[in-house]
Amino acid sequence: VQLQASGGGLVLPGGSLRLSCVVSGFNLEDYAIAWFRQAPGKVPEGVSYIYNGDGTTYYADSVRGRATISRDSAKDTVYLQMNALGFEDTAVYYCARAPRLRAGIWYQTRYYRYKGQGTLVTVSS
């Protein structure tokens, strides 16, 4: 099982980025993928989640309305589109795999056995 995040970089406040998570070693349709982020000195924060079997999605309050998670099963890839980025969005973003989870627990890292290396997003002027 492997997950590889990419697409991070330096972006101006108000800008946008699309992060990609390419997976291998399992059938994407059978699992959920979530994006987490971790800022320096802070605990990981669940950003968004998608259960690939039926497309169920969840978002953290901090990004709702600014983020869109999607998948392309043919490419074994999950995307996170982030818009209207602010300084508070600066963090290392990584993707992780879990079984199907309900709304109240999707953001808890203990359910994610596999995670990939992160990609750094820096919002700065």
Side-chain angles (χ1 to χ4, degrees), residues 2-119:
Q2 290 189 323
L3 303 95
Q4 181 63 54
S6 63
L10 177 63
V11 62
L12 293 171
S16 299
L17 277 178
R18 188 177 78 160
L19 306 180
S20 299
C21 174
V22 179
V23 308
S24 61
F26 63 96
N27 185 2
L28 189 59
E29 295 291 323
D30 294 336
Y31 292 91
I33 299 292
W35 285 95
F36 289 83
R37 64 185 180 185
Q38 188 168 18
K42 295 188 176 181
V43 298
E45 175 192 17
V47 177
S48 187
Y49 160 108
I50 186 167
Y51 174 61
N52 298 290
D54 62 8
T56 297
T57 59
Y58 303 126
Y59 295 92
D61 289 342
S62 59
V63 302
R64 187 172 290 111
R66 301 190 295 120
T68 302
I69 191 169
S70 62
R71 71 194 189 281
D72 184 338
S73 297
K75 296 182 178 180
D76 289 325
T77 302
V78 173
Y79 302 100
L80 181 67
Q81 176 71 40
M82 293 280 294
N83 302 320
L85 287 163
F87 299 120
E88 68 278 8
D89 295 311
T90 294
V92 174
Y93 286 70
Y94 63 92
C95 51
R97 189 192 88 169
R100 185 173 187 175
L101 301 172
R102 55 185 170 84
I105 61 172
W106 70 267
Y107 48 86
Q108 296 180 20
T109 57
R110 58 178 170 156
Y111 293 105
Y112 294 84
R113 180 178 179 184
Y114 298 98
K115 66 178 185 179
Q117 291 183 316
T119 184

